[in-house]
Amino acid sequence: MFIVKYRKIFYTISGLLVLASIVLLFSWGLTLGVDFKGGTILEVEYRENRPSVDEIHTALAPMSLNENIRPTGDKGYIMRMKTIEEKEHVSIIKTLSFGNTKPFIEKRFNTIGPLLGREAANKALVSIVFVLLCIVLFITFAFRKVSEPVRPDDTVGRVSSWKYGIIAILALFHDVAIPTGVFVVLGHFLGYEVDTLFVTALLVVLGFSIHDTIVVFDRVRENLRLNHEHKQKKAFETVVGESISQTFTRSINTSLTTLLALIVLYFVGAEVTQHFSLVLIVGIAVGTYSSIFLGSPLLVTVERWQNRKNK
């Protein structure tokens, strides 16, 4: 199949995207939300016409809140600011009403201290590492019987089960790195912040991507077994190529239906779920790409490396 034959092209595309994401991450960094750095988030909706962002900045300036204001809907604003006390909260409410000339409804008010923010960030990192470790162990166990000779001479062409796990992790790193890079760019230019929903979305992406990758790997294992039992003596890259072809349509259709639902959620759903759905859209699209164009072709590359080493 052309995917296996031209795998170096797909490696190059993925490598460039991941490299760019890493460089941007270390250069610009993610724009952390109050969930991770601590602070206060206030969401209001005016009953009639809302004041302009500049008017609100001017009114709040004496309080030195370091506020970030983002419009939501036709009449609302979401404001992120430093951690405030109840007295400041009352003053802000009075200020935003502009002497009761612009009445509004307070829809959300959350305050998270810096310590809780750091704790949330640490737990988010630990959860991702834990998930990746569990995936390696699971794939190593599930594919423990796949380490069979795949070439006729029975001396070369082995891809151990734990290497399937490592390859899956490489693909998952690719799937997490690129959405992260996208949000680095969005945070730098548009002020998009990452919060606990962002981490939740990444964990969902990990689950979806590994599910898709395992489907292809499982088909490879099945075809290797048939190849061995029927003594067909097909080359490993042929078996992998056929396995990708057999699962290609299924992978694309599954991802497309999921993406359609997420796109609707992004445009029609609540404001607070927009970034969450955007991470999933990017992550699932990238994950589908990696399971087809990256993970399985890497099996061929590893098998060839081992073959050269054993000669």
Side-chain angles (χ1 to χ4, degrees):
M1 190 179 183
F2 80 96
I3 293 175
V4 174
K5 184 178 180 181
Y6 298 106
R7 59 188 179 278
K8 291 182 180 178
I9 295 175
F10 302 116
Y11 293 167
T12 303
I13 294 171
S14 295
L16 289 174
L17 290 174
V18 171
L19 180 63
S21 298
I22 293 173
V23 170
L24 291 173
L25 179 63
F26 282 100
S27 301
W28 293 343
L30 285 165
T31 304
L32 299 179
V34 295
D35 290 6
F36 294 138
K37 66 180 181 182
T40 297
I41 181 168
L42 174 65
E43 182 176 359
V44 298
E45 182 174 303
Y46 286 88
R47 296 183 186 280
E48 299 176 357
N49 294 332
R50 64 187 177 193
S52 68
V53 174
D54 289 338
E55 286 178 304
I56 293 179
H57 276 305
T58 303
L60 296 177
M63 300 182 189
S64 301
L65 299 173
N66 298 324
E67 71 275 6
N68 176 282
I69 302 174
R70 184 160 58 89
T72 174
D74 296 330
K75 300 177 180 178
Y77 285 113
I78 295 177
M79 306 176 201
R80 293 175 173 82
M81 58 194 77
K82 68 177 186 180
T83 304
I84 61 172
E85 303 292 338
E86 185 55 30
K87 286 183 179 178
E88 294 172 299
H89 178 209
V90 173
S91 298
I92 292 170
I93 295 301
K94 288 181 180 178
T95 302
L96 293 177
S97 69
F98 292 87
N100 291 325
T101 60
K102 294 183 181 297
F104 64 85
I105 300 171
E106 182 182 275
K107 300 180 69 175
R108 183 163 44 136
F109 175 75
N110 294 323
T111 295
I112 298 175
L115 288 178
L116 285 176
R118 280 197 292 273
E119 183 180 351
N122 291 334
K123 286 186 175 179
L125 184 61
V126 169
S127 63
I128 290 176
V129 172
F130 183 71
V131 168
L132 293 177
L133 179 61
C134 288
I135 288 172
V136 171
L137 293 176
F138 171 75
I139 292 181
T140 301
F141 175 77
F143 286 79
R144 63 191 182 283
K145 294 183 180 178
V146 81
S147 306
E148 297 177 351
V150 295
R151 290 186 181 279
D153 57 7
D154 283 358
T155 58
V156 295
R158 294 171 183 266
V159 179
S160 303
S161 58
W162 64 270
K163 291 177 181 174
Y164 280 72
I166 297 298
I167 290 171
I169 293 301
L170 287 175
L172 290 179
F173 176 75
H174 166 276
D175 302 343
V176 170
I178 293 176
T180 302
V182 170
F183 264 72
V184 168
V185 175
L186 293 174
H188 184 77
F189 289 107
L190 300 177
Y192 278 32
E193 296 181 342
V194 299
D195 52 18
T196 50
L197 275 180
F198 176 81
V199 178
T200 305
L202 288 185
L203 292 175
V204 174
V205 168
L206 288 177
F208 190 94
S209 298
I210 194 62
H211 171 260
D212 217 24
T213 302
I214 284 177
V215 168
V216 184
F217 282 4
D218 193 54
R219 184 56 61 93
V220 172
R221 176 174 60 178
E222 181 66 15
N223 286 337
L224 283 174
R225 186 184 64 79
L226 294 174
N227 189 35
H228 182 70
E229 288 179 358
H230 298 167
K231 298 181 180 179
Q232 294 176 322
K233 298 182 180 180
K234 292 180 182 177
F236 186 63
E237 52 266 37
T238 303
V239 173
V240 172
E242 289 177 351
S243 302
I244 295 173
S245 298
Q246 292 163 3
T247 55
F248 185 85
T249 304
R250 175 256 173 216
S251 296
I252 295 296
N253 288 342
T254 303
S255 298
L256 275 180
T257 51
T258 307
L259 286 173
L260 286 174
L262 290 171
I263 290 170
V264 171
L265 178 65
Y266 177 78
F267 286 106
V268 181
E271 176 82 15
V272 293
T273 62
Q274 274 194 335
H275 292 182
F276 175 74
S277 53
L278 181 59
V279 181
L280 289 178
I281 290 170
V282 177
I284 289 176
V286 172
T288 304
Y289 166 85
S290 73
S291 65
I292 297 173
F293 297 93
L294 186 63
S296 300
L298 276 174
L299 290 175
V300 177
T301 300
V302 170
E303 189 268 345
R304 288 199 169 189
W305 284 349
Q306 290 184 170
N307 191 28
R308 289 196 203 100
K309 186 178 177 181
N310 292 334
K311 282 183 179 178

